[in-house]
Amino acid sequence: QTWAPNLRILRFNNKYYLPSLSSPLSLISTLIISQVISPRKHSSTSPLKMLLDLLINLPNLSSFELDAYEAYKKNTTEVLPVAECSAITSFEIYLHEFLMLELPNEGSCIADFMNAVRMPSLAKYSIYVNINCRSERGSRCAVWCQKLGVLSRALLPDHFSNSTRLTSLRYNLL
């Protein structure tokens, strides 16, 4: 007997927990996650690796929404494996409380995640970056602009340019 045979939408709002699926859930078409994606101090499990593993276990996922926290931090865990998510046609990412000036030039959590995930059928891509400006005011405009370029390259990796199905791109700085 199949568990929850009519389940189509999976939503996780606990920022510090992701389930580990023992077998693929082939009926799930929508995944909505709110997650801290930076490495945790006292955990051997990488949140990014767990997220990629979850995506792989949802083979018919067509819509993916990720509310990511601490995406600007350095990824100090292992190199991430490539995750082929060929059914995803819509991807919406929201980067919360993003500290632009703390973004490393390479190896950030968001850059490593975007380099690992492959969505060849992606048609609609929406990016929302909620920049935490309280600590980023003053005469650092040139550095801030450079970091914006680093972030843009992370969110729009080279392999995304190979997507012939992409018809809608939204990029919002909030």
Side-chain angles (χ1 to χ4, degrees), residues 1-114:
Q1 184 174 2
T2 305
W3 181 82
N6 294 317
L7 186 64
R8 301 290 186 270
I9 299 171
L10 201 53
R11 180 187 302 261
F12 295 102
N13 287 325
N14 184 333
K15 295 190 310 187
Y16 297 99
Y17 171 77
L18 270 179
S20 176
L21 300 178
S22 57
S23 62
L25 293 177
S26 59
L27 296 178
I28 301 294
S29 60
T30 301
L31 177 64
I32 303 164
I33 292 183
S34 182
Q35 182 70 30
V36 171
I37 63 171
S38 65
R40 297 185 188 103
K41 290 180 183 177
H42 303 292
S43 176
S44 60
T45 309
S46 161
L48 291 172
K49 174 87 169 69
M50 290 174 61
L51 181 55
L52 292 171
D53 288 344
L54 179 62
L55 290 173
I56 290 168
N57 277 307
L58 300 172
N60 294 316
L61 186 68
S62 60
S63 178
F64 176 36
E65 295 178 24
L66 174 62
D67 287 351
Y69 292 83
E70 299 182 3
Y72 59 88
K73 289 190 174 181
K74 181 86 172 158
N75 181 20
T76 56
T77 60
E78 77 277 2
V79 175
L80 298 173
V82 170
E84 187 74 29
C85 303
S86 57
I88 294 178
T89 58
S90 175
F91 177 41
E92 185 172 307
I93 187 165
Y94 190 102
L95 303 180
H96 290 272
E97 302 166 4
F98 200 85
L99 298 175
M100 189 70 80
L101 295 179
E102 292 188 26
L103 179 68
N105 288 334
E106 53 187 47
S108 67
C109 291
I110 191 59
D112 287 358
F113 174 74
M114 295 304 294

